[in-house]
Amino acid sequence: MTGTSTGVFSGLRNWLLLPSWLVIGVLVLSPVFIMLVYSFLTKEFRGGVIWDFTLAAYDQFFLDRGLFGDEPPKMEWTYINIFWRSIWQALLATLLCLLIGFPTAYFIATRPPSARTVWLFMVTVPYWVNLLIRTVSMKFLIRDNGPVNEWLLATGMISEPIHLINTPIAVQLGLFYSYLPFMVLPVYAAMERYSFSLSEAAADLYASKWFTLWHIVIPSVRPGIIAGCILVFIPSMGAFLAPDLLGGARNFMIGSLIEEQFKGTAGNWPFGAAASMILLSAVLLVLLYYTHYQSKTGIAKN
Amino acid sequence: MTGKSQDIRHYSGFLPISLICLVLLYGPLIIVMIYSFNDSPSITVWGGFSLRWYDEVFHGLEAPKFKKAAFNSFTIAIMAASTSTVIAVCTALAMLRCGNFRGKAVTFGLVSLPLMVPEIVTAVATLIFFSTIGFKAGYATILVAHIAFCIPFAYLPIAARLQGIESFYEEAAVDLYASRLQAFFQILMPLMLPGIISGFLLAFVISLDDFIITNFVKGAGVETLPTAIFGAVKQGIKPNIMAISTLLLMLSVIFVTLSYLAGKMGSRDKG
Amino acid sequence: MADEIAIQITQVTKFYGSGTDSTRALHDISVAIRHNEFFTLLGPSGCGKTTLLRIIGGFEDFQNGEIILHGNSIKALPANKRPVNTVFQHYALFPHMSIRDNIGFGLKMLGKNAAEIRERTDEMLDLVKLTEYGHRRPAQLSGGQQQRVALARALAPAPRVVLLDEPLSALDLKLRQSMRHELRRIRESLGMTFIFVTHDQEEALTMSDRIAVMSEGELQQVGSPEDIYNNPANIFVADFIGQTNLIPGIVKATTADAAQCQLAGGQSIEVPLARQPTPNRGDTVKLSIRPEHMDICQPDSDSAQITGVLKEQVFLGTDMQFLIEIDDSILLMVRLQSTQDSLHRWNPGDQVGIRVNIGFVRLLTS
C-alpha cells in the first residue's frame, strides 16, 4: 500500500531530483553526446579537433587505405585485433573469476552466520583497496626478479625465472585479480537467498551432489551469476591499468589504445572518441541483453 | 548428520578454492607490505626490518611532491564525497519516498550509468566536455568529475538503508505536527545515518582511489596520489612507493572497517 | 453536546492509479462520527478501512468528497496541520529517541515550552503507567509497553480525534485483552473521539460505541455492536460478524407483522417482522439464524419448527456444536452450552427437531 500512498515528501519530488538530474545530465549525459559528435570531427595535430564532419575516425578504425590513403580500402585488422583481444581477455577473466568466485561464494554462504560475516569482510577489503596499488603489487610480485621467481629459484623448483611480465598471461592475471571481488559479492548475495531445502529435496529424490549443483543450485542463483559476470566483464573490457602496467606495449587493450589518443601530441581525439563510442556500444549491448534477461525472467531490481 | 560427507551442502574442493581466492586477493598486498619494511635498497633482497622508506616518504627528496598530491587527493575526496552524498540522499528520497512517477526507471538508469560504463569512456567523455566548454584542466576539473562519478557509489548504500526504513516513521513525525524539514532532519536522517556514513565513506574511497578519470582531466602540474604513484611506478617500483602503497592500503582497511561498523550500528538500532 | 459531530465524512471516493487500470479503494463513503465516541472501522483486509483512516490522518489523497472536522474542512490541510493524531499499526516509535522524547515530540513541534512539555509528558507516562520507563529507548520495552507509549504519544498533544490503526494486532492474546480495557479506560478518562481500525470482530464488538462494517471499499452498515450483531443489514454483515446459518428460502406470504418463508427442502417457517423491513411475496431470501438462537428437541414435539438429521456433534469447550442436515445440501449449525443435561440425548443419525428463537431470524435479500 505504501507504493500508492501519498508520501510525506512527494510534493518535493522534483526538487529532490533536480541535483542528480543536473549533475548527471551535465557531467555524464552531455559529455557522452559531445564525445559522439567528436568522433565525427577532423583531428588537429596538437591534440584537439577541427569542426569538419567526417567519418575518418571510424574509417581509420575499420579500413586500411595505405600509407597515403590512396589505395583501395582493405580491412584494417590492427584495431579490430586490439578490440578482439579486449573481448577475449575480458571473457577469460570473467570465466576465471567465475571458476574461483562461485565456489567461494557458495562456501561462504554455507558457513554459520558469524563466520560468514568474517569471510565477507575479508573478500570486501580488497575491493576497497586502490586498484592502482593492487596492480602495482601484482607487477612487483611476478617480475622476472620478483619475490615469486626468487622464491621458486631458491627452492630449486625452477632454474630460470618464469617470464610473465609483459605477456598476455600477466594481463589476464591482473584483470582476474582486479575484479574477483565483483564476482564473489553478487553471487554470494544470490546464494544467501537460496533455500538449501531445495538441495535436500533433490538429495531425497536420489539426485547426486554434482547433479544437484548443476541442475538445482546454479539455476536458482543464475541472476547473481549473470550480475557477477557483467560486473567483471565490463570493467575488464575497458581496463587500462592492467594492460598498461602488466602487459606493456605488445599487449594493448582497447583502454590503452584510447588513452594513447589523448596523451601528448601524438594523440588523435576523434579517433579516441570513435574507439570509446565503439567500446561503449559493445558495453550497452551487453547491458541491453542483461535488462532483457531481467525482464524476461521477471527478476526485481533489488 | 554424521560427518562432512553426509552434509549435502558440502562440496569437497570448495574450501581449498575459497582459500586460494583469499591468497590471491591478499598475497600481492601482503608481500608489498612486507617489502615496504625492507632495509635493503634492492627491492627483492631482504635486508632486515626498517622504517627508512616511510621516513623517506615523509622527509625524502620526493616528499614535497607526494605531500602536495596527498593534499589534493584528500581535499578533493572530502568535497566530492560530501557533495555526492547530499545529492545521493536527495535522489534516494525522491526515488523511494515519492511514489511511482514517470521517469523513475530512467532516473535510476542515469544515476547508475557511471557504474555501468567503463571508466575510461567516462574519462574520455569528461575530458572532451571540459575541453569543449573551455573549462581549464586542473584541481577544479578533477573535483567536478569526481562528484559526478561518486554519486552512484554514495547512492547505493543510502538507498539500501532508506528502503529498510518504513515510511510510517516520517508519517508519525508529520502526524505529530512536524514540518517536512523537521520530519527529515529529526527523524528520517538519524535513522538513515548508517547508510549515509557508508555512502560517504564509499564515495570518499572511490574518489581517493580514482586514477583513470583523474589522469584524463587533471591537466599538467596537478597530481593526486594515484597519478603521482603511477608516474613514479613508470620509472620502476621503488621501496618508497611500496611504503606509500602500504599507507594507502591501511587507510582503505580503516575505512572499510568504519563502514562495516556503521552498518552494524544500523542493524542494532533497527529493532 | 453529546451528539456533536466530530468528523463528517461525505461521499469520499478514492481510486488508485488512473485511467483504465485504476482500482477503486473507497466508494462513496458517508458517515458521521460523534464527539467522544469510540468508533470502529471493521472489515476484512483490503476492504478500505485503513485507507479511510489514512485519509482522515492526511496521509492519502482522495478524488471526491469532503471531510469536516468539528465544522471545518480539513481536505486541504496537510497531515501536520490536522488536530488529529495516529497510533500506527507498528507503533512507529522513533527508535533513536527516549520514551520521554517520543511522547513530547508532538508538543515540541507545536512550539510548547520545555516546562509544559515536561509536565504533559509526566502526565501521559502516568496515564499509561510507564512512569519509570521515560528514559529508556523503545527497543528496551516490551510490545505491550511500546503500544502504550505509542498511545501516550498520540494523546499528548490533546488532539480532537485519535486514529488507531490496528494497534493491538501485534500483541499476543492475553495482552490484547487487557489492552482493550486499558484503551476504553483511557478514552473515557480523557473524553476524546477514537477512530479505531480492526479486522478483529471481537475487538470491535467489545470496545466500540458504534461500528462501521466495510467491504470492498463500501460501507455496509453503521450501528452499535448489538445492532450490527442482531440486525445485520445484509448477507455480508451477517456472515462477517459472528457465526450464522444462511439458509436459502422464498417468501410465500406476508402479513403485517410476519412473513411465511419456505426453506430449500420444503419446510416452512414464520418469521416476525417487528425489527426488519417487510419483504415482497415471492422474494428469494437468505434466512440468517445464529447457532445460539436454536435449540434441539424431539422431532415430533410441538415446539419443533424444523426437523433434520443429526450429522455430527463437536465439543468446543463451553459449547457443544451440532450439525443438522435439513435438506440434501443444507447443514444447520446449532450451538448449545455444554452445561445442558440434554447434550448427550442425541446421536449422529438421529432425526431431531429444531426450536428456533424466531425473534432473531433475519430475512436478507442482498
Side-chain angles (χ1 to χ4, degrees), chain B residues 19 26 45 69 73 133 150-151 197 256 262:
Chain B
L19 292 176
Y26 284 92
V45 181
S73 271
I133 62 168
C150 286
I151 289 174
I197 291 173
V256 68

Side-chain angles (χ1 to χ4, degrees), chain A residues 8 13 16 20-21 38 106-107 110 117 122 128 130 132 141 145 177 200 209 234 244 255 258-259 301, chain B residues 8-11 15 18 24 26 31 44 91 107-108 116 120 124 132 180 209 215 226 230 234 260:
Chain A
V8 169
R13 185 211 297 146
L16 291 169
S20 60
W21 278 351
Y38 260 58
Y106 184 98
F107 179 78
T110 54
T117 322
M122 302 270 280
W128 290 65
N130 195 324
L132 174 63
L141 194 69
N145 54 352
Y177 169 62
E200 283 166 12
K209 274 180 153 186
I234 289 179
D244 191 78
I258 292 170
E259 203 258 0
K301 206 163 275 155
Chain B
I8 53 142
R9 307 186 336 173
H10 175 79
Y11 290 87
L15 169 65
S18 307
L24 284 170
Y26 284 92
I31 285 173
T44 49
T91 312
T107 306
F108 183 78
M116 298 295 170
I120 193 136
V124 167
T132 306
R180 286 185 293 203
D209 283 0
N215 188 39
F230 184 80
K234 281 282 172 182
Y260 171 76

Side-chain angles (χ1 to χ4, degrees), chain A residues 57-120:
Chain A
Y58 292 94
D59 191 280
Q60 186 187 346
F61 195 95
F62 292 107
L63 296 176
D64 176 10
R65 296 177 190 271
L67 195 57
F68 301 102
D70 51 1
E71 293 169 28
K74 296 180 302 213
M75 276 305 269
E76 165 66 77
W77 290 106
T78 317
Y79 305 118
I80 295 174
N81 278 338
I82 290 175
F83 194 72
W84 177 241
R85 186 185 300 142
S86 305
I87 293 181
W88 183 81
Q89 286 275 27
L91 280 177
L92 195 62
T94 309
L95 188 69
L96 278 178
C97 286
L98 186 60
L99 284 178
I100 297 284
F102 177 80
T104 307
Y106 184 98
F107 179 78
I108 297 175
T110 54
R111 295 305 92 200
S114 56
R116 225 182 276 176
T117 322
V118 176
W119 273 92
L120 265 187

Side-chain angles (χ1 to χ4, degrees), chain B residues 11-28:
Chain B
Y11 290 87
S12 51
F14 279 19
L15 169 65
I17 292 175
S18 307
L19 292 176
I20 289 172
C21 180
L22 282 193
V23 169
L24 284 170
L25 287 175
Y26 284 92

Side-chain angles (χ1 to χ4, degrees), chain B residues 168-169 171 174-175 178 186 191, chain C residues 54 80 85-86 92-93 96:
Chain B
F168 51 57
Y169 288 113
E171 284 177 358
V174 170
D175 183 61
Q186 300 200 20
L191 296 179
Chain C
R54 289 172 59 83
N80 58 351
N85 290 143
T86 306
L93 297 179
H96 59 295

Side-chain angles (χ1 to χ4, degrees), chain C residues 250-279:
Chain C
I250 297 170
V251 179
K252 283 289 178 195
T254 55
T255 62
D257 49 7
Q260 189 70 29
C261 296
Q262 186 180 44
L263 306 182
Q267 307 192 46
S268 281
I269 189 167
E270 197 176 78
V271 180
L273 297 173
R275 290 194 299 174
Q276 56 189 321
T278 309

